[in-house]
Amino acid sequence: AQEFTRHRIEVRTALPAQLPTVTGDERLLAQALASVMSNAIEAMPDGGHIEVAGEVSSDLRSVRLCVRDSGIGMAAEQLARAFDPFYTNKARGLGVGLALVKRIVELSRGQIALSSQPGRGTEVDFTFRAAGGARG
């Protein structure tokens, strides 16, 4: 929360009251989400907003989580290579962030999709299998 305030970023959420638990390691999934949020912060040097939305499939078997930012976005070449290990456009980046996020999602038997346009922000979509009962 302090990082969002410091960077003048408003966080909006659109989450159902009840979301089922998903398959995967809670700590690794939290790390993946934190990495995506960190990338979003870096993509908005002059402030902006991040929206985190979630939904449950109609058959209750999967959960979709979407993180959208109003940042600088990525060109087609950047987008095509975003999950490649050691690929980065950052002066101080290692290029392992999104590659690691993708690996965590795959280990959790989930899926990840990325869409972006220069000047229009980036959207990261996660889809996970529901593990069981819903929780709030």
Side-chain angles (χ1 to χ4, degrees):
Q2 291 176 352
E3 286 296 303
F4 297 130
T5 301
R6 188 164 68 91
H7 288 92
R8 298 179 323 278
I9 295 171
E10 175 189 359
V11 178
R12 305 170 187 161
T13 58
L15 300 167
Q18 299 268 316
L19 279 174
T21 57
V22 299
T23 58
D25 181 287
E26 183 177 344
R27 289 172 298 189
L28 289 176
L29 292 173
Q31 179 182 348
L33 184 58
S35 181
V36 167
M37 297 296 263
S38 178
N39 283 349
I41 289 170
E42 290 179 22
M44 296 182 284
D46 298 319
H49 66 270
I50 296 171
E51 180 180 346
V52 180
E55 64 186 17
V56 182
S57 64
S58 60
D59 63 5
L60 306 178
R61 292 183 180 189
S62 65
V63 175
R64 178 176 172 253
L65 184 68
C66 178
V67 178
R68 291 182 198 95
D69 69 54
S70 63
I72 59 174
M74 290 185 269
E77 179 186 332
Q78 294 171 297
L79 187 59
R81 299 196 59 202
F83 293 120
D84 291 353
F86 308 112
Y87 173 77
T88 185
N89 286 316
K90 299 175 188 174
R92 295 172 41 145
L94 298 175
V96 295
L98 284 177
L100 182 57
V101 168
K102 183 177 182 190
R103 185 69 181 130
I104 290 170
V105 171
E106 290 172 344
L107 286 171
S108 302
R109 298 168 81 181
Q111 298 175 345
I112 186 169
L114 191 62
S115 59
S116 187
Q117 290 183 346
R120 304 192 87 191
T122 298
E123 181 174 308
V124 182
D125 281 298
F126 301 93
T127 304
F128 298 101
R129 295 185 331 167
R135 70 175 184 182

